[in-house]
Amino acid sequence: MATSKDCFQTIHTMHKAALLAHRKQKSEDTSTLLGGQLPNKVVHDNNYIPLMTTGPDVSEKQMQEKPQSFQHAILTALPEDRHQPKPVIVVGPAGVGRTTALEKLIVDWATGKHLQHFSCVFHFTFRDLNAHKGVLSLQALLLQCYSHLSSESLALVLQNPKSLLFLFDGLDQYQHSLEPPTSLTLCSDPQQPASVSMLVASLVHGPLLKGAAILLTSRPTAASLESLDGYRMELLGFLKPQRKAYCDRFFSDPIVASQAFENIERTMGFYDFCTSPRFCWMTCSIYKSLMEAGEILPETLTQVFVYITIHLIRALSLDTTNARDLVTSLGRMASHCCLGPDSNCSKEEMASTDVQQFLTTPTSIKDFLHVDGDLESDNCIFSFHTQKIQEFFLAASFYLDESEAVSVEELLENHEGCVEFLDLYLAGLSEPSQRKPLESELGEFNTDHIMDFSSWFKSTSRKALESYHTDRHLHCFHLLHQRQNEKLVKEIITPSARGISYGVLGVHDCVSLSYIVTCLGEWDQLNLYSSKDLTEEKANLLVPAIRLSHKIILVQSSLSAGALAHLASALSQGRTTELDMSYNPMGDTGFKVLCTGLGDCNIQTLKLPVCGLTEACCGDLVAVLTSEKSHLRVLELRGNTLHDQGLRKLSHALGSPHCKLQELQLPRCELTGGSMEALSTALCVGQSELRILNLAQNCLTDQGVDWLAKALQYPCCQLQSLILVRCELTTLVFKELGVLLSSGTSGLRTLSVGLNKIGDEGAKHLWVALGNKRCSLEHLDVEMIQLTDACVGDLSAAVRASGFLKSLVLKNNHLTDTSVPALVQVMQDSRTMQEMNLQYNDFSEDMFEMMDQCAKIKY
């Protein structure tokens, strides 16, 4: 006599066999170009490519760095030892492969590959569940759908809910709510009759077959998703590696597969819908027919749909007049679907469009349209396979319309908010090269409508580019990219339209921006300020724009290592002369990657403030500075913790004959006087071209400045500006600086020593030096050094005696009204002085009128 375990195993085996047999039978159904391959056929023919997903509870950053396959995510979400299981919710847009992924899951279970801890898997579509009226028990529903099971065997299976997996596909098509009515109690008995909506709600929320695993799929638009508690994962579809694998499998010839893949990626890989397996099937199918016929492959999305439309029309063997009327009718239907609440047409509404006058067979109808229901039924619903083809027919019908009833502006206004690609298609079809193949099948487009679009496009583009709205600029670039008209780009994109920041860029934006810059041949300033998610993919797409940009701004941006590698490569081959990467947290590791392109490029100004650099980066920086091909003139490293050891390494580079650096900015780099000896030595050897040195906000002390002063005495030292703001200097240092300036051996023209607390006593050494005819200082900044009125006599005498001084910064000191007459008088008398800055001193408003008498005083 068979044991309960034997019976259970028999049921398990029989159920698997029945599922496989049913799917093999359904796999014989035909596929369509727009509708794609049927899920069971994809799996049966072994053409399934694993889809990518976020997996449950995966952050967006983790998703970008390491997406996982749908199968792996499901195994993680439905482990054998799960406790208090929640529904698994798989979300993804139309055509992304939700149904096919479920089909693969079922077949893998039935063939013993995965999820073998489940004894039975039951699969339902919400569309089929909508058809069930009246009441019945869950057991009765299962017996209706799985006739190979007997009442006795099913009863045995239902005794162990934890061994059951229920799959529900297409929640967005469900006509009921998953939330149970508040006035009714959920079912808990599989033999209790209830409405189908109550049975589903009871399964999902747990009382019915408590412990059973539930998996649902849905488009993101389903209303029930908001209140549904469970493990939610987003189905990403085909990323680039999966698209490559799909092309390799679709085309038997590897060379042809590579050509098709590269063209698809270049032409459309930046659109979100390219992750759709259905779109990949459609594109590869049309590419195959084009390549077999020796045709040129498309370069825009518009051209792809031009060829698809031609393929579909030729299959009907219609003459030009009827083909034109068909597309016009499809355009009317497209408008109705765009504007209607359900994006579809009833059978009665279809009759008013005249579409079925040309699509006379079930096959022809399904080639062009998606049919929901029996074609013979009055309840049959028609819709387009995708929004993209729907809007393409709307755009094409506009150009085919011989009347002047609707302008392009009215067309876009009427469909605003319910279309995504319409203006792109209008842009593409307005170009002769893109519409010509379609005109050969449909007759010539309405030239008045083409001129209307061109006029509208130029007008709106100029208005968009005159604004400072990044999104409007980028949308204009999208349309220009779709038109593929280099002459038009040069006409519309004027120099005044090129200064805006393009910090937040999508993949499509990167492609379009690079296209615009390439058409123009150069770009003055590529402003990518605050690009927080500049991924490797985006950086790669921006390479053409980077190469042709004279100045690149990446301030407060975040680049991955892969993105930095593309940036470095573009710089080494480009014409960029200035790169600003301030506040970019690249660190030493990222900077090392960037340096691979800095040693052989045209960069003259490199700004790297607060980039998380340490002394470890200085070896790479030295290699760049001492490269024979380096053109670097200005280097800003403010706010990086280089320490003395880092500056010692940089000092070796300054002494190299290949180092062309003229300005070095090192404020707040945690330097001390201990590194000044090496710097002084480098400045004295006669090789250094350094003119400007900023050491502000470093604790240099007297010893450090003493070393610098020694270097400045050497005639071969070319330093002309020494910024020593907030360096903890004393009166002794100011005395030494005074001696140096008076000696006539120094070439210093600019000196900033503000925020050092030395007062009148320390400053008098500078006034004495200024009065010396051998002092050639032109700009002196003594902000906030605690000056008082007592210094004004010596200060005035020094200014009068100086033959070189042009500007003097005295702001943020303790000067009062008493000093004003003397300062005004000396500025009026001086022939060389151009500006004296007296801001933020202790002046009363009574003195403002007096200071206004001298335009050279700023207060």
Side-chain angles (χ1 to χ4, degrees):
M1 183 174 177
T3 64
S4 175
K5 184 176 182 181
D6 292 336
C7 291
F8 202 82
Q9 185 60 42
T10 302
I11 297 167
H12 179 70
T13 304
M14 179 183 64
H15 186 56
K16 286 184 172 182
L19 290 181
L20 289 174
H22 178 66
R23 275 151 179 79
K24 184 176 181 181
Q25 181 182 3
K26 289 181 66 177
S27 69
E28 297 172 2
D29 293 340
T30 58
S31 304
T32 62
L33 178 63
L34 294 175
Q37 284 184 297
L38 295 179
N40 43 27
K41 183 169 178 59
V42 173
V43 176
H44 181 267
D45 293 350
N46 201 30
N47 287 327
Y48 181 78
I49 302 289
L51 302 175
M52 295 286 96
T53 180
T54 59
D57 303 327
V58 174
S59 69
E60 183 177 353
K61 183 178 180 181
Q62 289 173 316
M63 178 197 76
Q64 293 175 349
E65 292 177 351
K66 194 175 182 180
Q68 57 182 318
S69 71
F70 173 73
Q71 273 70 21
H72 182 270
I74 291 299
L75 294 177
T76 303
L78 298 173
E80 186 172 359
D81 58 345
R82 67 192 189 282
H83 302 286
Q84 297 181 342
K86 292 182 178 181
V88 177
I89 309 153
V90 180
V91 180
V96 79
R98 298 185 312 272
T99 301
T100 307
L102 280 194
E103 190 70 23
K104 175 64 173 170
L105 200 68
I106 294 168
V107 171
D108 282 352
W109 173 80
T111 54
K113 294 180 180 177
H114 301 303
L115 301 173
Q116 296 307 290
H117 51 283
F118 293 112
S119 63
C120 281
V121 173
F122 298 113
H123 175 228
F124 298 93
T125 67
F126 280 107
R127 179 185 294 176
D128 290 341
L129 291 174
N130 290 333
H132 286 274
K133 309 299 180 184
V135 296
L136 75 170
S137 68
L138 176 61
Q139 188 166 337
L141 177 63
L142 290 170
L143 289 172
Q144 278 187 20
C145 298
Y146 296 93
S147 57
H148 58 275
L149 295 174
S150 66
S151 299
E152 294 77 12
S153 60
L154 182 58
L156 183 62
V157 166
L158 297 181
Q159 289 177 9
N160 185 13
K162 287 188 176 181
S163 70
L164 304 179
L165 172 59
F166 286 86
L167 307 176
F168 293 95
D169 190 20
L171 177 60
D172 50 286
Q173 297 177 328
Y174 195 36
Q175 296 174 355
H176 307 284
S177 172
L178 287 179
E179 291 299 310
T182 54
S183 58
L184 299 176
T185 304
L186 291 170
C187 297
S188 58
D189 184 354
Q191 296 185 4
Q192 177 185 346
S195 65
V196 168
S197 61
M198 178 61 78
L199 294 178
V200 174
S202 300
L203 274 171
V204 171
H205 292 285
L208 186 56
L209 296 181
K210 189 171 184 179
I214 308 292
L215 188 151
L216 307 97
T217 74
S218 177
R219 293 186 186 182
T221 53
S224 300
L225 285 176
E226 296 181 5
S227 59
L228 190 58
D229 181 30
Y231 291 108
R232 179 167 174 161
M233 61 181 73
E234 182 182 354
L235 205 57
L236 305 176
F238 285 175
L239 304 184
K240 190 172 182 178
Q242 287 74 46
R243 293 196 291 272
K244 177 69 167 64
Y246 189 87
C247 287
D248 289 342
R249 188 171 296 184
F250 190 95
F251 297 95
S252 57
D253 186 336
I255 296 176
V256 172
S258 178
Q259 290 175 342
F261 172 72
E262 289 173 5
N263 181 275
I264 290 171
E265 289 302 302
R266 184 178 67 254
T267 305
M268 293 169 291
F270 45 85
Y271 290 112
D272 292 340
F273 53 74
C274 274
T275 59
S276 162
R278 181 196 296 173
F279 186 80
C280 291
W281 151 263
M282 179 185 71
T283 308
C284 286
S285 298
I286 204 67
Y287 273 44
K288 184 177 181 181
S289 65
L290 290 171
M291 295 172 90
E292 288 175 349
E295 299 281 353
I296 297 175
L297 293 179
E299 289 297 327
T300 67
L301 180 65
T302 301
Q303 287 179 309
V304 171
F305 282 100
V306 163
Y307 288 124
I308 287 172
T309 303
I310 291 172
H311 178 87
L312 293 171
I313 288 173
R314 285 177 178 173
L316 297 176
S317 301
L318 297 176
D319 60 26
T320 301
T321 301
N322 283 321
R324 188 184 188 97
D325 290 343
L326 169 59
V327 174
T328 302
S329 299
L330 288 167
R332 285 197 295 270
M333 178 183 171
S335 179
H336 174 87
C337 290
C338 285
L339 299 173
D342 301 317
S343 299
N344 57 38
C345 282
S346 65
K347 201 164 190 177
E348 182 181 355
E349 290 167 334
M350 271 286 287
S352 65
T353 66
D354 294 330
V355 169
Q356 285 183 280
Q357 175 184 342
F358 306 100
L359 306 180
T360 56
T361 66
T363 300
S364 64
I365 292 174
K366 292 180 180 179
D367 281 343
F368 279 83
L369 303 171
H370 174 75
V371 181
D372 188 2
D374 187 353
L375 278 170
E376 303 301 322
S377 169
D378 291 337
N379 295 325
C380 185
I381 299 296
F382 301 88
S383 60
F384 288 92
H385 287 289
T386 66
Q387 181 184 355
K388 296 174 288 296
I389 190 66
Q390 174 177 294
E391 293 182 26
F392 179 82
F393 283 132
L394 179 56
S397 67
F398 169 75
Y399 284 129
L400 293 173
D401 187 0
E402 296 297 337
S403 71
E404 303 298 324
V406 179
S407 67
V408 65
E409 188 169 6
E410 291 170 331
L411 175 71
L412 292 170
E413 286 179 357
N414 292 342
H415 295 84
E416 186 176 3
C418 56
V419 292
E420 185 177 354
F421 307 99
L422 180 57
D423 55 354
L424 283 178
Y425 292 139
L426 290 170
L429 290 172
S430 69
E431 291 296 326
S433 60
Q434 298 195 53
R435 68 173 182 265
K436 187 176 180 180
L438 195 57
E439 286 182 317
S440 67
E441 302 291 329
L442 307 178
E444 291 187 359
F445 284 7
N446 186 327
T447 54
D448 289 337
H449 283 182
I450 293 171
M451 292 174 62
D452 177 33
F453 176 83
S454 296
S455 175
W456 170 86
F457 177 70
K458 289 181 180 180
S459 174
T460 55
S461 295
R462 289 195 175 103
K463 289 178 182 177
L465 296 174
E466 287 171 0
S467 75
Y468 288 94
H469 296 284
T470 303
D471 56 341
R472 295 178 65 184
H473 277 239
L474 293 173
H475 189 66
C476 174
F477 295 170
H478 294 175
L479 297 179
L480 285 168
H481 176 247
Q482 192 67 202
R483 294 191 71 166
Q484 293 288 298
N485 186 328
E486 183 177 324
K487 182 180 178 182
L488 185 64
V489 172
K490 293 178 178 178
E491 178 183 345
I492 288 180
I493 307 297
T494 60
S496 61
R498 306 180 191 182
I500 196 171
S501 171
Y502 300 110
V504 183
L505 293 174
V507 178
H508 190 185
D509 303 327
C510 295
V511 172
S512 300
L513 180 57
S514 280
Y515 168 75
I516 296 298
V517 175
T518 301
C519 286
L520 295 171
E522 65 175 352
W523 196 258
D524 295 332
Q525 176 176 287
L526 182 60
N527 191 340
L528 301 175
Y529 174 82
S530 195
S531 295
K532 299 300 184 184
D533 62 341
L534 197 53
T535 61
E536 181 176 357
E537 179 187 19
K538 292 179 183 177
N540 184 34
L541 294 171
L542 284 171
V543 163
I546 294 171
R547 286 176 181 166
L548 295 170
S549 297
H550 295 289
K551 180 178 180 180
I552 298 172
I553 298 175
L554 281 163
V555 177
Q556 290 187 2
S557 298
S558 180
L559 285 76
S560 66
L564 285 168
H566 287 301
L567 174 62
S569 174
L571 293 174
S572 66
Q573 304 169 38
R575 59 181 64 178
T576 305
T577 57
E578 181 173 343
L579 175 63
D580 188 349
M581 300 193 71
S582 306
Y583 304 98
N584 194 308
M586 72 179 83
D588 297 331
T589 304
F591 183 66
K592 190 176 190 69
V593 176
L594 184 64
C595 282
T596 60
L598 293 178
D600 182 15
C601 67
N602 292 309
I603 295 285
Q604 296 181 17
T605 300
L606 179 60
K607 297 182 179 180
L608 300 167
V610 196
C611 288
L613 305 180
T614 71
E615 63 184 78
C617 82
C618 293
D620 297 307
L621 195 50
V622 167
V624 171
L625 290 170
T626 56
S627 167
E628 293 184 22
K629 298 180 179 179
S630 174
H631 295 84
L632 204 57
R633 299 289 189 276
V634 178
L635 177 61
E636 184 172 350
L637 294 167
R638 171 172 44 90
N640 292 292
T641 55
L642 303 183
H643 297 294
D644 290 343
Q645 189 59 31
L647 181 54
R648 290 189 183 102
K649 291 179 182 178
L650 292 180
S651 297
H652 289 304
L654 294 175
S656 167
H658 300 303
C659 181
K660 303 176 181 67
L661 204 63
Q662 296 181 358
E663 179 178 339
L664 180 58
Q665 298 284 337
L666 295 169
R668 291 193 297 112
C669 288
E670 299 191 16
L671 306 176
T672 73
S675 56
M676 294 301 107
E677 181 179 1
L679 179 59
S680 176
T681 302
L683 295 174
C684 295
V685 295
Q687 302 285 359
S688 174
E689 297 182 16
L690 201 65
R691 304 288 195 277
I692 300 172
L693 176 63
N694 187 346
L695 294 166
Q697 300 180 63
N698 288 294
C699 186
L700 302 184
T701 67
D702 295 358
Q703 179 191 9
V705 178
D706 184 55
W707 280 109
L708 289 175
K710 290 178 180 178
L712 289 168
Q713 294 173 13
Y714 281 78
C716 54
C717 177
Q718 301 187 44
L719 209 60
Q720 296 180 358
S721 177
L722 180 52
I723 300 173
L724 296 170
V725 174
R726 193 181 284 174
C727 287
E728 301 185 19
L729 307 183
T730 67
T731 299
L732 186 63
V733 170
F734 275 71
K735 181 178 180 181
E736 188 169 359
L737 287 173
V739 172
L740 173 69
L741 293 170
S742 301
S743 67
T745 59
S746 169
L748 271 183
R749 297 292 182 268
T750 300
L751 178 63
S752 298
V753 288
L755 282 82
N756 290 291
K757 300 177 182 179
I758 48 89
D760 296 337
E761 184 66 22
K764 70 179 182 181
H765 300 292
L766 298 181
W767 310 142
V768 171
L770 284 175
N772 193 307
K773 293 182 180 181
R774 289 179 292 182
C775 177
S776 56
L777 203 65
E778 297 178 356
H779 307 282
L780 176 62
D781 183 346
V782 287
E783 177 184 2
M784 202 181 290
I785 63 169
Q786 301 183 347
L787 297 178
T788 70
D789 294 332
C791 76
V792 173
D794 292 336
L795 185 159
S796 299
V799 172
R800 284 193 171 91
S802 173
F804 295 93
L805 195 66
K806 297 179 180 178
S807 72
L808 179 61
V809 177
L810 296 166
K811 65 181 182 179
N812 278 308
N813 282 292
H814 303 309
L815 304 178
T816 68
D817 293 359
T818 305
S819 303
V820 172
L823 294 174
V824 171
Q825 187 63 52
V826 75
M827 288 300 290
Q828 288 176 333
D829 294 345
S830 175
R831 295 181 179 180
T832 59
M833 284 290 289
Q834 298 173 359
E835 181 179 277
M836 179 181 287
N837 190 329
L838 295 171
Q839 291 177 309
Y840 313 117
N841 276 281
D842 299 331
F843 303 135
S844 68
E845 293 185 6
D846 297 338
M847 295 293 104
F848 291 173
E849 184 176 351
M850 180 179 293
M851 286 188 282
D852 283 338
Q853 295 175 9
C854 183
K856 294 188 286 186
I857 290 181
K858 186 177 182 180
Y859 65 91

